[in-house]
């Protein structure tokens, strides 16, 4: 039970970084972006329990993992220091129904060729330009 809080906070931190703009709810309906959730939990634990050092260690470990696995290789073009063991790919494949697996950032939900294949309306449906009602 000693390392349970840091482990949970490190996994939560990685999820929050991958889903930065998702709105999450905390107690009493308080809503904020997911990127602030680990810090809210640290503050909450400092108020309730008077301690928050283990949660801060979890955030540091989560940040280190997120930086080495996603940020440094993708944004800065550096080498990938952490690699997922191949045995995990056997039991947990990367793709199943559009959900990312281990060690992969979530892909964009919108296809690049959506706008090019659609005609007329420019929205989600391939409707034509249409005609005005009540005209001659």
């Amino acid at each position: 039970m000693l390392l349970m809080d840091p482990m949970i906070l490190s996994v939560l931190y990685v999820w929050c970084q991958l889903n930065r703009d998702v709105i999450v709810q905390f107690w009493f309906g308080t809503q904020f972006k997911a990127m602030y959730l680990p810090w809210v939990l640290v503050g909450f634990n400092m108020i309730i329990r008077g301690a928050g050092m283990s949660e801060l260690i979890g955030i540091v470990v989560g940040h280190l993992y997120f930086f080495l696995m996603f940020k440094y290789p993708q944004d800065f073009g550096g080498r990938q220091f952490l690699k997922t063991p191949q045995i995990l790919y056997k039991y947990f494949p990367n793709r199943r129904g559009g959900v990312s697996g281990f060690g992969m950032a979530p892909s964009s939900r919108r296809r690049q060729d959506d706008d090019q294949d659609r005609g007329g309306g420019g929205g989600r449906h391939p409707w034509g330009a249409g005609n005005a009602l009540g005209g001659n």
Side-chain angles (χ1 to χ4, degrees):
M1 294 305 274
L2 177 67
L3 296 177
M4 189 62 138
D5 288 344
M7 183 184 72
I8 290 172
L9 254 304
S10 64
V11 172
L12 180 72
Y13 182 85
V14 171
W15 181 85
C16 289
Q17 290 302 314
L18 292 174
N19 299 289
R20 297 175 75 90
D21 295 326
V22 173
I23 303 296
V24 295
Q25 285 188 343
F26 197 59
W27 280 18
F28 308 114
T30 306
Q31 296 182 349
F32 46 86
K33 289 186 177 185
M35 61 190 266
Y36 301 119
L37 182 60
W39 301 107
V40 169
L41 289 175
V42 168
F44 184 75
N45 284 334
M46 284 183 169
I47 292 170
I48 297 297
R49 293 192 302 177
M53 190 53 118
S54 66
E55 286 85 2
L56 287 176
I57 291 172
I59 288 177
V60 168
V61 169
H63 179 74
L64 187 64
Y65 176 81
F66 179 75
F67 183 79
L68 291 176
M69 193 68 181
F70 299 107
K71 202 74 165 156
Y72 185 65
Q74 291 176 3
D75 292 348
F76 300 116
R79 101 175 233 259
Q80 188 174 5
F81 289 106
L82 300 176
K83 293 190 184 215
T84 304
Q86 289 299 317
I87 189 78
L88 291 178
Y89 287 120
K90 179 180 176 184
Y91 294 111
F92 305 104
N94 265 351
R95 296 269 176 205
R96 180 182 290 171
V99 178
S100 295
F102 285 106
M104 292 189 62
S107 60
S108 175
R109 292 185 182 184
R110 185 173 188 188
R111 293 191 332 231
Q112 294 294 332
D113 57 348
D114 260 356
D115 294 333
Q116 297 167 355
D117 293 342
R118 309 271 183 209
R124 293 177 166 236
H125 305 286
W127 295 334
N131 296 317
L133 294 176
N136 295 342

